[in-house]
Amino acid sequence: MANDVVVIISTYNGGRNIIRQLDSIFSQDGVNVSVFIRDDHSTDNTISAIEEYKQKYGYKIDIIKGENEGYAKSFLDALRDAPLASYYAFSDQDDVWAKEKLIKCIKEFEHNEI
């Protein structure tokens, strides 16, 4: 569990961008990554795109569907409901991460830990 990271995403009508972000998350070097998504009541193809992606690649993705409550509360609810992990990271649905983003963050955190 040393480098287990749960990436928390709140989605809302992000079907156009979410696959690129998931690709970048699951391409991370040096970490065991899973994704916990709380959908904030999308009306586009966001949920179906995520479910298709999960089926196609078999990646560890948990998704809960909620009522629209805005991104701040949605992220807080997702953090509350996320599984236990060594580390947590937050992502917007339209980000694209460099392959070493999470391991660099972990190393920096561990280096500066009190």
Side-chain angles (χ1 to χ4, degrees), residues 50-95:
I50 294 165
E51 289 175 347
E52 183 178 317
Y53 186 89
K54 180 179 176 177
Q55 289 291 322
K56 183 175 181 181
Y57 296 108
Y59 289 129
K60 176 69 172 127
I61 302 172
D62 292 314
I63 183 167
I64 56 173
K65 301 165 194 159
E67 294 301 315
N68 185 271
E69 56 189 21
Y71 71 92
K73 184 158 180 7
S74 183
F75 268 113
L76 287 173
D77 286 350
L79 180 59
R80 181 196 64 221
D81 296 336
L84 292 177
S86 300
Y87 299 97
Y88 297 89
F90 294 91
S91 173
D92 287 329
Q93 64 192 10
D94 60 351
D95 289 348

Side-chain angles (χ1 to χ4, degrees), residues 39-54:
D39 185 75
D40 203 29
H41 200 72
S42 292
T43 57
D44 69 351
N45 70 327
T46 301
I47 293 171
S48 62
I50 294 165
E51 289 175 347
E52 183 178 317
Y53 186 89
K54 180 179 176 177

